Amino acid sequence: MEEKNKMVGMPVSRIDGILKVTGKADYSVDHPVTNVAHAMIFKSTIAAGKIRDIDTAAAEKAPGVLAVITHKNAPKLNEKGGIRGGAMLQSPVIEFYGQHIGLVVAETFEQARHAARLIKVDYEEASPRTHFEKLSKEAVTPKDKERADVKRGDVKAALANAEYKVEEVYETPMEHHHPMEPHATIAEWKGDHVTLYNSAQIVSGAQNAAASTLNLKPEQVRIVSPYLGGGFGSKGGQWANLVLTAVAAKMVNRPVQLALTRHQMFNSVGLRQRNHQKVSLAATKDGKLTALAHETTTHCAIDNEFVEPCGDCSKVMYEVPNSLISYRVVPMHIILPTYTRGPGKSTGSFALESAMDELAYKLKMDPIEFRIKNEPERDPTSGKPWSSRTTVQCLQEGAKAFGWEKRKPEPRQNQQGNYLIGYGVACGTYPAHQRPSSALVKLDRKGNEVTATVELAAADLGTGTYTILAQTAADALGLPMNRITVKIGDSDLPPAAGSVGSVGATSYANVVNDACIKITDELMAKSGKQFFTRPTAAQLMLSEKVTEFQTRADSKELEGADEYSSHSFNANFAEVRVDMYTGMVRVDRFLAVTGAGKILNPKTANSQVIGGVAWGIGMALSEESVVDPRWGNFVTRSLADYHVPSNLDIGTMEAIFIREEDKHSNRLGIKGLGEVGIVGVSAAVANAVFNATGKRIRELPITPDKLI
Amino acid sequence: MRPFKYTNAKDVPSATRLLTANPGGRFLAGGTNLLDLMKEDVERPNELIDISRLGLDQIKTIATGPHKGGLSIGGLGKNTDAANHALVRQHYPLLTQAILAGASGQIRNMATNGGNLLQRTRCPYFYEVSMPCNKREPGTGCGALEGINRLHAIFGWSDKCIAVYPSDMSVALAALDAVVRVRDAAGQERTIPFGDFHRLPGDTPEKDTNLNHGELITAIELPKNNFAEKSYYLKVRDRASYAFALVSVAAALEVSNNRIDQARIAMGGVAHKPWRALQAEQMLVGKEPTEANFRLAAEAAMADAKPLEHNKYKVELGRRSIVRALQVAMDGKRS
Ligand SMILES: Cc1cc2nc3c(=O)[nH]c(=O)nc-3n(C[C@H](O)[C@H](O)[C@H](O)COP(=O)(O)OP(=O)(O)OC[C@H]3O[C@@H](n4cnc5c(N)ncnc54)[C@H](O)[C@@H]3O)c2cc1C
Ligand code: SF4
């Protein structure tokens, strides 16, 4: 097929778009299961201690109630089955405020909610460990080997002898994912097999965790997850709501649906941990970095550790002879933190890239020039060559497109009426990987018409998986896109990687491409003919009069890929307007320039990046989950208190992609865009706020009170 | 939510009679606040008396009485309609701005004028039934007093309650010296000056207003004034829309020969009721409308502020907001 007819690289609209805007795409609890009963979680109202007694008598007698399930009557589940944060209802112990301590199942949602309020709990309270500032002094090195100290050279000496240095602490608050679609499940048993309609970023992961926790074999559990209304990491691992729905359905002997309320989302599916990050940078007077230390202190659950890698960007961004990356963690009576868009990198880049801006200012050097000056030729931590590195290109192309030359190096020099205008820049990166995945390709011919079906247990977070796979298969098979059917989101299909850690597009598109190549090879072999030019699978189906043919490919990371350090890179440019009187900040313009290998679909890629930018702006200016340390509850308990950006908060957002194909990383040259869009965004905004006002805000979010 | 009885009121007399007869009942207007609170289990009425179809939604010039020439806004009219009515836009643009600064388009389309006045605090401890709160459950203590009180009051609070009243519309109404017209089951009408409508918490934070159970807000009356040319509602918040005020200021000036004849300054987000800065207003009368004088007024307005642990910023923010709102009111330039 000729180059000009290729679908990959075209800005194709989502093929599932019409289904979504007409309400025909079935999300978790939209699936037409009949005779469904409704479950409602009820929560612990203390953060630490245990349940002495729980009185469910009134709830059980309430109208419509079918069952009340607590630790007293819940079946024994496998606590180590892989459900994040544990299976719940297995003991009377309370480890955080809002912990699920029971479930009411009733005919209707309203009846279940009402009955849940009739339950009386007698607690034995312990004093909760929820005061991060106080507890952070007790933080210790994490058990996770990946978070052990990484040292190079002698940071202390380099700092002591530094001509210029910055040593500052950067604080980022807890954040919540709050996907548009809250976590929701329908469980339906047939004999000892259960089908779970449940949105999952990792379909086979959800299957395995549910099976293991419910003491079943994987083949007894089917996960159906064709569409996800977002997840941002909170649907990567599965949480107790998934298995509790299955437990409830078994106990009442009919299908049960459980949809978490927005309020319950605060204490049910993880969060982004609060980070206290100390960054120390030293440089010579001509702007060569001599030391970089990035020391993170954070919290985890009482007996479950998770620490997001805030130091990751610092490992790879700059050439520096002396470096230290460290983590300290303290358990608290707060729900287990988890992967949250750009885990570690979005928060870590805020600290690193703010510090870089501070040091550039001290050096009286343009922050772009300063970064380019410290560009590493190889991965400074692993010593491996880059599969490709686009930081400098991102910075330079971005500076041109953004009009960086209009920036005034000194703060408070650009005033328009009552507003101060400022420009900021910050870089970001996220690792690129291909993960093992399998895919089935089926070809069908009816007369002269060949159609194809591509099947794998992939996920579409709303990001466009269906579309890019149809594009990939169309090119690889020699068929128009409308002859391709993509089936994903079902654990009955061949297992695939998750839509997590920016591996989705890379892993899925490569395995589908591999399967299409394989099926073409097999059809050629089957024909027994010699070909001068390679025919397409579609042509072979016609010429050989094959009616049905299928094959499966199982792909792993490209051989030799691990000899390279593979990352997506970006440069972020922000223009802000700060009201001199009220301290309200508005991001008027934002530009993200990204190098992420081959871009399969510029339209969905653009959406992915500006979505990341919008969250990054929220992270910079308004998002924060606030704990009352006395009781461990979130005082931000709805979307009226937890401020995701509104339309009015977002000015113009633009995304530019560097033209590249990274063939060292994988056959198709893709690097993944899932996370990198948010990385560096909040630092670019904070740096712009400094340029506007002369105030360096090291504690997110930058709300008006911090600027007056 | 708890089971409740739903009654569709036929007319104003029967609505007021029904509610007076049932101490556990509530009027249902737009439902945007009441139903939310019922889902949260904060409000637990045993009966909802639907008043949303009783009319009382006209906006008209007052023909007689002490407010002759002023404007009457129906208590059951929608916020959107009040904000956009030609007479409101022309004579009381401050009110238009304040209403449009609140909530979202969808909510304002449902929300009524009477309901807006009676919306309850957004204090997170009030909303969370597992927390102590004297307003929700008298005698349980105030969760916010020693808790996270970044959004709470700096004026007029008591150690029983430090909540702020969230309405934007009411801040403009306070500045405009509005009057609330109410009617009881006996058919008696009375008018309550806006300054007396909402209460300070004192020892009875459970009572937000001086409206008696069973009384229905039939109208809000605006006296005639000459502020239309020089007024401005400034709302400072954590995001650009769909957030409650950290601090807001309704400012209005009447100026002749470069002298201030009359001034109005009301603040939102700082107290249990819209907070009029009467002393600051007085100071401005007879003065030139200069930034220096605005600063002096702002200083005076904030002099008695008593901030709490997390809301000290509100004092400085209040000062700046008053100056800024007066400036914009004066020269009409928002940027
Ligand atoms: C997410 C969200 C954001 C919001 N943001 C803002 C904001 O930024 N600024 C702002 O000002 N507001 C905001 N609001 C609040 C909104 O303005 C109020 O909910 C609305 O004005 C209430 O009007 P309603 O008619 O729906 O009242 P309802 O909920 O129907 O009633 C409220 C109370 O008033 C009583 N009542 C209603 N009408 C009468 C009457 N005529 N006589 C006597 N009693 C009556 C009811 O019994 C009830 O107790 C927000 C609301 C939401 C949900
Ligand atoms: S401030 Fe008022 S509303 Fe808030 S917890 Fe205290 S008593 Fe309740």
Side-chain angles (χ1 to χ4, degrees):
Chain A
M1 196 173 247
E2 284 172 54
E3 196 64 28
K4 68 177 192 317
N5 292 326
K6 290 266 186 225
M7 293 316 297
V8 168
M10 298 297 285
V12 181
S13 295
R14 281 178 174 70
I15 57 177
D16 47 341
I18 300 281
L19 289 180
K20 287 185 173 173
V21 296
T22 55
K24 288 188 185 127
D26 283 342
Y27 290 83
S28 319
V29 291
D30 298 336
H31 283 91
V33 180
T34 49
N35 194 31
V36 174
H38 294 258
M40 183 74 180
I41 293 282
F42 62 94
K43 70 182 186 197
S44 157
T45 57
I46 64 165
K50 61 188 213 189
I51 300 169
R52 205 179 284 130
D53 197 16
I54 188 159
D55 177 1
T56 56
E60 279 158 29
K61 280 193 229 101
V65 171
L66 302 168
V68 180
I69 309 168
T70 68
H71 69 279
K72 288 175 162 174
N73 59 346
K76 184 90 200 87
L77 301 174
N78 173 13
E79 280 279 50
K80 297 211 160 57
I83 289 292
R84 286 192 77 71
M88 300 289 162
L89 311 192
Q90 298 297 298
S91 92
V93 177
I94 306 289
E95 293 183 343
F96 60 92
Y97 179 99
Q99 181 181 321
H100 304 342
I101 56 171
L103 202 63
V104 177
V105 190
E107 294 290 343
T108 70
F109 173 78
E110 286 76 13
Q111 288 172 331
R113 179 171 61 187
H114 171 58
R117 288 182 175 143
L118 304 177
I119 291 164
K120 293 207 175 56
V121 188
D122 178 15
Y123 294 107
E124 192 178 305
E125 280 192 70
S127 83
R129 296 165 52 89
T130 43
H131 201 298
F132 179 69
E133 287 90 340
K134 285 185 189 154
L135 290 168
S136 58
K137 293 176 190 75
E138 298 173 20
V140 296
T141 306
K143 290 182 214 109
D144 182 355
K145 294 277 168 290
E146 299 262 308
R147 303 286 176 272
D149 292 6
V150 177
K151 289 184 202 162
R152 185 166 71 242
D154 187 344
V155 165
K156 248 198 195 146
L159 279 168
N161 302 325
E163 295 177 284
Y164 286 89
K165 65 179 167 185
V166 166
E167 287 178 281
E168 295 291 351
V169 169
Y170 303 87
E171 301 276 1
T172 57
M174 289 181 206
E175 287 178 356
H176 279 86
H177 312 79
H178 284 312
M180 189 100 83
E181 177 203 28
H183 292 51
T185 313
I186 302 176
E188 186 178 27
W189 288 87
K190 292 227 164 71
D192 57 2
H193 283 64
V194 65
T195 300
L196 296 163
Y197 301 89
N198 173 81
S199 61
Q201 287 176 242
I202 316 176
V203 174
S204 38
Q207 180 190 24
N208 290 332
S212 173
T213 306
L214 293 165
N215 300 308
L216 299 171
K217 295 196 202 70
E219 52 274 23
Q220 289 172 279
V221 175
R222 178 176 170 209
I223 302 286
V224 180
S225 173
Y227 302 103
L228 287 88
F232 309 117
S234 67
K235 295 172 183 169
Q238 292 293 320
W239 299 79
N241 60 295
L242 173 68
V243 285
L244 292 181
T245 316
V247 165
K250 184 108 218 172
M251 286 177 77
V252 301
N253 201 18
R254 66 188 256 201
V256 167
Q257 106 170 33
L258 169 60
L260 297 181
T261 66
R262 186 58 68 183
H263 170 61
Q264 288 169 342
M265 291 287 287
F266 282 87
N267 282 305
S268 300
V269 293
L271 45 73
R272 194 200 292 282
Q273 69 202 35
R274 180 170 168 185
N275 294 301
H276 171 100
Q277 301 174 70
K278 183 174 179 203
V279 176
S280 313
L281 292 176
T284 60
K285 63 174 179 306
D286 56 351
K288 275 282 191 198
L289 283 175
T290 55
L292 192 176
H294 193 147
E295 299 160 276
T296 303
T297 308
T298 187
H299 57 94
C300 63
I302 282 298
D303 61 0
N304 204 340
E305 186 183 283
F306 174 88
V307 176
E308 69 165 0
C310 293
D312 269 8
C313 289
S314 292
K315 275 187 181 167
V316 297
M317 279 311 294
Y318 302 111
E319 184 67 52
V320 56
N322 303 293
S323 138
L324 164 69
I325 312 291
S326 76
Y327 299 92
R328 299 293 179 264
V329 62
V330 63
M332 299 211 305
H333 286 108
I334 300 281
I335 191 170
L336 178 67
T338 195
Y339 303 97
T340 309
R341 199 171 199 172
K345 283 73 164 179
S346 44
T347 38
S349 63
F350 167 65
L352 173 66
E353 293 296 286
S354 293
M356 285 295 285
D357 199 66
E358 296 203 44
L359 193 51
Y361 183 68
K362 282 192 181 174
L363 287 158
K364 299 213 177 312
M365 194 176 272
D366 182 276
I368 293 180
E369 188 195 332
F370 179 45
R371 286 179 171 85
I372 293 175
K373 205 159 206 160
N374 290 287
E375 174 71 1
E377 215 154 279
R378 292 172 161 256
D379 180 327
T381 303
S382 68
K384 290 179 185 175
W386 303 112
S387 63
S388 83
R389 170 137 175 154
T390 54
T391 300
V392 173
Q393 232 177 318
C394 290
L395 283 166
Q396 286 171 341
E397 288 193 22
K400 210 178 295 158
F402 197 69
W404 184 252
E405 76 282 354
K406 289 197 290 273
R407 171 183 182 267
K408 311 254 191 280
E410 280 301 315
R412 299 187 77 89
Q413 298 304 306
N414 190 350
Q415 187 177 342
Q416 292 174 10
N418 287 309
Y419 296 96
L420 291 166
I421 312 297
Y423 286 32
V425 68
C427 289
T429 180
Y430 201 88
H433 292 292
Q434 181 185 349
R435 295 280 180 238
S437 293
S438 302
L440 198 62
V441 177
K442 296 177 175 167
L443 290 169
D444 262 293
R445 186 183 57 83
K446 285 205 177 70
N448 284 333
E449 189 174 298
V450 180
T451 54
T453 308
V454 174
E455 300 183 354
L456 66 165
D460 189 333
L461 272 168
T463 47
T465 304
Y466 282 100
T467 311
I468 57 164
L469 294 187
Q471 289 172 273
T472 304
D475 284 1
L477 296 169
L479 282 170
M481 258 182 86
N482 62 11
R483 301 277 178 76
I484 314 274
T485 304
V486 178
K487 285 192 185 162
I488 59 171
D490 188 331
S491 60
D492 278 356
L493 304 174
S499 200
V500 294
S502 297
V503 305
T506 308
S507 310
Y508 305 155
N510 273 290
V511 70
V512 166
N513 187 55
D514 290 349
C516 293
I517 292 172
K518 192 173 163 208
I519 206 168
T520 312
D521 290 346
E522 287 175 5
L523 281 166
M524 281 165 71
K526 187 177 146 89
S527 76
K529 294 181 186 156
Q530 293 266 329
F531 296 91
F532 292 105
T533 48
R534 187 178 165 85
T536 65
Q539 287 163 346
L540 287 162
M541 289 292 286
L542 292 172
S543 65
E544 304 308 310
K545 299 206 166 18
V546 186
T547 45
E548 270 182 29
F549 199 71
Q550 71 174 54
T551 199
R552 173 176 159 146
D554 306 286
S555 304
K556 287 204 265 304
E557 195 158 41
L558 191 68
E559 216 164 297
D562 65 353
E563 285 161 29
Y564 294 91
S565 178
S566 299
H567 302 259
S568 296
F569 296 95
N570 71 9
N572 299 280
F573 296 82
E575 178 182 331
V576 303
R577 153 187 305 266
V578 184
D579 187 314
M580 291 169 69
Y581 281 84
T582 64
M584 283 180 76
V585 179
R586 187 185 146 84
V587 180
D588 275 346
R589 284 198 301 141
F590 201 97
L591 169 67
V593 188
T594 312
K598 179 193 250 165
I599 300 303
L600 297 166
N601 180 335
K603 197 168 183 177
T604 52
N606 183 73
S607 298
Q608 184 64 13
V609 169
I610 63 174
V613 169
W615 191 355
I617 291 173
M619 177 177 171
L621 300 181
S622 57
E623 289 185 43
E624 176 172 24
S625 295
V626 184
V627 174
D628 185 329
R630 296 170 301 171
W631 300 309
N633 59 307
F634 285 107
V635 293
T636 39
R637 51 188 305 295
S638 76
L639 290 182
D641 320 303
Y642 183 86
H643 294 141
V644 301
S646 67
N647 264 326
L648 207 55
D649 289 283
I650 304 291
T652 316
M653 296 186 291
E654 201 191 333
I656 296 178
F657 296 97
I658 302 290
R659 272 181 161 276
E660 64 159 343
E661 286 189 23
D662 182 349
K663 297 280 182 160
H664 291 309
S665 294
N666 53 75
R667 225 189 285 276
L668 291 180
I670 311 167
K671 289 216 278 200
L673 269 177
E675 329 264 350
V676 76
I678 192 177
V679 183
V681 176
S682 59
V685 174
N687 294 343
V689 167
F690 174 76
N691 182 242
T693 64
K695 284 197 176 130
R696 177 64 65 183
I697 308 299
R698 301 187 184 89
E699 190 182 335
L700 297 184
I702 307 173
T703 44
D705 46 325
K706 294 179 184 157
L707 283 173
I708 57 160
Chain B
M1 60 182 79
R2 295 175 192 247
F4 59 88
K5 184 175 160 199
Y6 172 84
T7 313
N8 206 349
K10 275 198 300 293
D11 48 27
V12 174
S14 68
T16 48
R17 269 200 306 274
L18 282 163
L19 188 61
T20 307
N22 180 2
R26 292 274 193 292
F27 287 142
L28 173 68
T32 60
N33 191 226
L34 182 58
L35 295 185
D36 253 13
L37 289 165
M38 287 168 67
K39 290 179 196 165
E40 298 274 3
D41 209 26
V42 174
E43 295 268 17
R44 302 170 181 183
N46 59 23
E47 180 179 12
L48 287 187
I49 297 150
D50 191 340
I51 55 172
S52 64
R53 292 178 196 83
L54 298 184
L56 293 179
D57 56 357
Q58 295 93 340
I59 296 181
K60 52 179 192 269
T61 306
I62 301 169
T64 55
H67 293 140
K68 186 167 183 284
L71 200 64
S72 168
I73 297 175
L76 294 173
K78 299 293 188 188
N79 274 184
T80 299
D81 296 332
N84 293 327
H85 195 276
L87 290 173
V88 177
R89 282 195 176 265
Q90 192 182 344
H91 299 295
Y92 307 95
L94 183 64
L95 181 60
T96 298
Q97 288 174 16
I99 295 174
L100 296 183
S104 66
Q106 294 94 325
I107 292 172
R108 294 192 298 266
N109 287 343
M110 283 303 291
T112 63
N113 302 321
N116 191 313
L117 264 49
L118 294 172
Q119 65 176 290
R120 308 210 67 191
T121 183
R122 293 275 158 176
C123 172
Y125 301 88
F126 173 71
Y127 262 84
E128 176 52 65
V129 292
S130 68
M131 293 288 135
C133 171
N134 288 324
K135 185 183 278 299
R136 180 170 27 78
E137 238 183 302
T140 53
C142 170
L145 187 62
E146 285 168 6
I148 308 292
N149 46 37
R150 174 173 177 263
L151 300 174
H152 290 74
I154 54 172
F155 291 117
W157 51 269
S158 73
D159 62 1
K160 297 283 186 300
C161 178
I162 59 172
V164 295
Y165 167 62
S167 164
D168 290 299
M169 179 184 189
S170 290
V171 182
L173 292 173
L176 296 168
D177 283 324
V179 166
V180 185
R181 183 169 287 276
V182 308
R183 193 179 160 125
D184 69 12
Q188 291 292 323
E189 286 211 352
R190 63 173 181 133
T191 55
I192 310 172
F194 213 78
D196 297 335
F197 187 77
H198 297 96
R199 297 161 56 95
L200 289 179
D203 287 334
T204 51
E206 67 277 16
K207 283 195 72 149
D208 292 348
T209 70
N210 287 318
L211 191 74
N212 296 320
H213 185 79
E215 281 181 325
L216 187 129
I217 298 175
T218 55
I220 299 159
E221 297 181 356
L222 291 165
K224 219 175 147 180
N225 66 42
N226 295 318
F227 293 126
E229 274 197 11
K230 294 185 171 18
S231 64
Y232 185 57
Y233 186 70
L234 172 68
K235 181 174 178 183
V236 185
R237 43 186 149 177
D238 283 333
R239 67 179 160 191
S241 95
Y242 212 36
F244 290 91
L246 298 171
V247 165
S248 71
V249 177
L253 294 169
E254 206 186 307
V255 180
S256 58
N257 303 321
N258 204 31
R259 297 275 160 197
I260 298 170
D261 298 327
Q262 284 209 62
R264 296 282 186 277
I265 303 169
M267 301 183 80
V270 294
H272 200 260
K273 59 189 284 188
W275 193 255
R276 271 286 285 272
L278 292 168
Q279 201 198 337
E281 292 174 7
Q282 277 313 309
M283 276 176 68
L284 286 171
V285 175
K287 302 270 168 50
E288 286 184 20
T290 60
E291 179 166 343
N293 285 329
F294 294 161
R295 279 190 195 286
L296 288 174
E299 213 52 62
M302 303 311 292
D304 295 335
K306 284 198 190 61
L308 299 146
E309 187 184 350
H310 302 115
N311 69 5
K312 302 198 169 59
Y313 72 95
K314 282 196 181 182
V315 182
E316 176 60 19
L317 187 58
R319 251 182 235 126
R320 288 163 172 242
S321 300
I322 290 173
V323 176
R324 179 70 188 279
L326 286 166
Q327 276 178 337
V328 181
M330 190 58 212
D331 64 21
K333 274 192 274 186
R334 291 188 199 183
S335 56

